[in-house]
Amino acid sequence: MLADRLKTLAPSATLAVQAKARAMRAQGIDVISFSVGEPDFDTPERVKDAARRALTEGMTKYTEVPGIPELRAAVCQKLRRDNGLDYDPAEVLISCGAKHTLYNIFVALLNPADEVLVPSPYWVSYPEQVKLLGGVPVAVATDEESGFQVDPARLRAAVTPRAKAVVLNTPNNPTGAVFAAETLEAVARVAVERNLWIISDECYEALTYEGRHISIASLGPEVKARTIVVNTCSKAYAMTGWRIGYAAGPPALITAMSDVQSQVTANPTSIAQWAAVEALAGPQDEVAKMVGEFDRRRRIVVEGLNRIPGIRCAVPTGAFYAFPNVSALFGRRWQGRPLESSSDVAAFLLEAARVAVVPGVEFGSDRHIRISYATELPTIKEGLSRLEAAVRSLAS
Ligand code: PMP
Ligand code: GLU
């Protein structure tokens, strides 16, 4: 009855685990969710005020498809301020969240069987979006030992004549890696040599705790000309529900994406766009406050995880995820059966510790689990002690 493309579509695993935790809570089960990547902070009041003003002033109609000029100008201002990038508003497209931005990009770029290189571990939606459009995601492994930095030699080796683009996500979901300048330079060289588009997902830019976030587009005009920068208001301004993401890139690609958007959603919500103008162009002090708090939690989470025998967690330098290696638990028995995969470990933790985590296999690594620490500290501490008690109770 349904289209063939649905036969291989995996619904978002991160959202699925969150839904499961919510459903368990609705049944009265006390579940701690380390699943979805969503700031627990409230949207700043100044942003909400801007939305209220927009409502009062009747900003409730269709807007320009690529976004109101004020928001595209605010995006240009942000890219100049934070990334040293010069874009014209005609080179900017506002969409319904960065997830929508990415989908627009893939629709505009991919022919059937075109390949997209995706460094692995990867965020769940890249391969699924590519597959939905008849493209082929090609995972390019990264190593825990190198802090999950992209390996340019492996990237180069994965390029075939069908390769069209590479997705670069720094700071990274799920590993928390922040790609070093040398990594970005090497990736850019491969892209230029092999004529690849660079899709630079910088959604976690604001959440960089060590090192410095660098937009690959800032490495020079030759790189910028083949890069599409993707960002969002979701993380830095705790605006996940408002659904405002954006892209900046070469005008031909932006126009193509805007044409696609004109037939699919048209403009993102008018009120949310006015709120986003305030988020991007207004004072940025709440961002620093939020980052300070995430940084504190990051240290506590990593320390707590590394105290648990059988769990080993490298220190993430960005985003709000820890990506501990749990493979030392494989073979340990729970309810008479050995744990054999990240899904087994996640299922065990949900049942035995009432803690929801996302199995690493969903991100391309079956030896890890993902823990989102975008949750208040007392809950994090309680979750960690539950994890520790459950793991210590495992039979060998
Ligand atoms: N990119 C990455 C790496 C993400 O983790 C997410 C999830 N929030 C997005 C893009 C999309 O974010 P949004 O659609 O909320 O802007
Ligand atoms: N990106 C977040 C996550 O990975 C939000 C959920 C989603 O859109 O996948 O958990």
Side-chain angles (χ1 to χ4, degrees), residues 97-99 102 123 126 169 173 201 203-204 232 234-235 243:
K99 195 177 263 188
L102 288 159
W123 178 45
Y126 305 134
N169 174 215
N173 176 6
D201 181 339
C203 287
Y204 293 94
T232 180
S234 287
K235 316 288 166 170
R243 312 308 301 131

Side-chain angles (χ1 to χ4, degrees), residues 105-117:
I105 294 173
F106 292 130
V107 174
L109 285 184
L110 298 183
N111 286 317
D114 278 353
E115 293 173 358
V116 177
L117 303 163

Side-chain angles (χ1 to χ4, degrees), residues 12 14-15 35-37 99 123-125 173 204 235 321 370:
S12 169
T14 50
L15 297 176
S35 58
V36 79
K99 195 177 263 188
W123 178 45
V124 293
S125 295
N173 176 6
Y204 293 94
K235 316 288 166 170
Y321 305 106
R370 192 191 76 172

Side-chain angles (χ1 to χ4, degrees), residues 279-346:
L280 292 170
Q284 302 290 301
D285 349 350
E286 312 95 347
V287 183
K289 248 191 259 157
M290 192 163 76
V291 174
E293 179 57 27
F294 279 135
D295 190 13
R296 209 153 73 90
R297 296 175 186 179
R298 170 178 77 116
R299 293 162 199 275
I300 290 166
V301 166
V302 171
E303 209 184 283
L305 288 170
N306 280 325
R307 256 203 324 264
I308 305 175
I311 297 188
R312 186 163 48 81
C313 185
V315 182
T317 51
F320 39 50
Y321 305 106
F323 200 56
N325 187 319
V326 293
S327 60
L329 298 179
F330 295 173
R332 303 275 294 278
R333 303 180 83 79
W334 179 60
Q335 295 187 336
R337 281 191 40 235
L339 301 175
E340 289 174 336
S341 64
S342 60
S343 306
D344 284 355
V345 172

